[in-house]
Amino acid sequence: NKCEQGDGRAILSMSDRWQELVSQLHSLEISHGDLQHGNVMVTPNEQLKLVDYDCMCVPKLVGRKNMETGVVPYQHPERNGETRLSLDLDNFSSNFIFTALRALAAEPGLWGKHVVQRNYDKILFHREDFDAPGQSGLFRDLKHSPDSEVQRFANDLSDHWNGSFQDVPPLNLFVWS
């Protein structure tokens, strides 16, 4: 994988493609509903493809029962079986994945330290990191990221985790806020 190869440039390029994909979904008024590592495929030419549309939402489905709550910690903690379908379902998870990619682009070694060594099967962030950011080794590392934007993204993501689901901005606003 690109992290183990220390290929920060390739990971940064992937974060750009992630932004483009999320922007395209947003412009088409589509919410995937379960953005997480297992539902994003990377093609041989490094294009991103989404799979598993069980919780997809389009304008005509807004307000209907949410059939799936997604994977922790990719989803905001307020998301549960009572959450109704919305075009904002992807806001937290898209920001989560973007922040992880940018952090790994700046420091690919975070993968070994926070994923491989901890025998973790998700991308970088653990629920415990958000539940207690002051005690989190990952957040401590991100505070010292060579990319100052990563520092801001991580702080904002943590604030959104601990805030209201409705207040999580879409990725384009998260990046430029």
Side-chain angles (χ1 to χ4, degrees):
N1 96 20
K2 302 295 182 190
C3 293
E4 291 167 347
Q5 296 167 1
D7 194 347
R9 241 191 310 231
I11 302 166
L12 183 60
S13 178
M14 189 64 63
S15 75
D16 292 341
R17 283 196 292 288
W18 179 252
Q19 253 186 299
E20 291 167 11
L21 174 67
V22 171
S23 176
Q24 185 177 31
L25 288 173
H26 188 74
S27 69
L28 294 170
E29 295 186 299
I30 297 172
S31 177
H32 180 275
D34 188 16
L35 294 177
Q36 46 106 344
H37 71 284
N39 289 340
V40 182
M41 302 291 133
V42 182
T43 67
N45 64 347
E46 299 193 355
Q47 295 303 305
L48 301 177
K49 301 291 181 187
L50 297 177
V51 297
D52 190 6
Y53 287 89
D54 293 358
C55 196
M56 183 175 125
C57 182
V58 294
K60 287 216 179 242
L61 298 176
V62 169
R64 292 203 181 170
K65 182 165 175 46
N66 185 13
M67 303 304 283
E68 188 175 318
T69 57
V71 174
V72 174
Y74 294 89
Q75 300 300 325
H76 190 278
E78 287 182 1
R79 178 139 180 227
N80 57 43
E82 302 304 311
T83 305
R84 294 295 177 177
L85 288 178
S86 155
L87 296 178
D88 296 326
L89 286 179
D90 292 341
N91 289 357
F92 185 82
S93 54
S94 62
N95 299 347
F96 175 107
I97 293 169
F98 176 78
T99 301
L101 289 171
R102 285 293 299 269
L104 290 165
E107 291 184 86
L110 293 173
W111 182 261
K113 184 175 181 181
H114 296 284
V115 177
V116 176
Q117 285 181 10
R118 293 175 73 182
N119 198 29
Y120 192 51
D121 67 344
K122 297 177 180 66
I123 185 172
L124 203 56
F125 292 98
H126 298 237
R127 179 185 192 115
E128 297 79 25
D129 294 318
F130 293 111
D131 288 342
Q135 285 87 42
S136 165
L138 175 59
F139 275 104
R140 196 169 26 258
D141 288 346
L142 296 179
K143 280 184 183 177
H144 302 290
S145 175
D147 181 343
S148 62
E149 287 187 314
V150 167
Q151 296 169 26
R152 180 178 63 82
F153 297 149
N155 287 334
D156 289 353
L157 191 66
S158 177
D159 289 347
H160 292 304
W161 174 273
N162 292 296
S164 171
F165 177 79
Q166 279 73 27
D167 293 337
V168 179
L171 182 59
N172 64 327
L173 296 179
F174 177 79
V175 170
W176 301 112
S177 64

